[in-house]
Amino acid sequence: MDPTDPTNFSSVAFVNDTGSPAVLFECGDSRGRDCHDMSGRLAPGERSDQQVFWGAGLDPWQVRDARGQIVGWVIVSTQRRESGAVYYLGDAESEPGKPTTPRVSPHADPRR
């Protein structure tokens, strides 16, 4: 997939619904390799809009506390180009596993 082609991405949002600052890291795999800070520090209640590859596979995101400790994982799965999915950091699982269910469901992106 061409990472410079915007049609290869879905739009999602992450909301920090925890009582503590958090940082989102998008990772190359569920072992935590090749992770990149994608949000800076998210204060409680703050939202981070992101673009994720769609298609087969999973997109693992680490949720870290302000000290850099991993507090959980949000696993994003988008099978087609879509937008509107909202993931809450409070739903992060302690270990990476099955895809996280967004609290706001996505809808097909008409710009396919």
Side-chain angles (χ1 to χ4, degrees):
M1 216 181 268
D2 179 359
T4 64
D5 185 349
T7 63
N8 291 331
F9 292 90
S10 289
S11 299
V12 301
F14 296 93
V15 175
N16 183 0
D17 64 329
T18 70
S20 303
V23 182
L24 276 173
F25 283 78
E26 185 176 26
C27 298
D29 63 29
S30 61
R31 292 187 177 135
R33 292 185 283 206
D34 197 26
C35 298
H36 303 281
D37 181 343
M38 298 300 286
S39 69
R41 190 179 191 140
L42 288 175
E46 202 167 18
R47 172 185 172 125
S48 177
D49 295 316
Q50 299 290 333
Q51 300 293 309
V52 299
F53 275 123
W54 63 268
L58 301 175
D59 195 8
W61 292 74
Q62 280 182 355
V63 179
R64 298 185 190 180
D65 65 18
R67 296 181 324 259
Q69 299 296 310
I70 300 169
V71 295
W73 291 82
V74 174
I75 308 297
V76 176
S77 175
T78 56
Q79 299 300 307
R80 66 183 196 275
R81 184 173 165 82
E82 53 193 30
S83 59
V86 181
Y87 296 88
Y88 283 73
L89 302 188
D91 294 336
E93 296 288 335
S94 60
E95 297 287 330
K98 63 182 174 128
T100 305
T101 302
R103 286 202 209 166
V104 176
S105 297
H107 52 276
D109 194 321
R111 298 173 288 156
R112 300 175 82 179

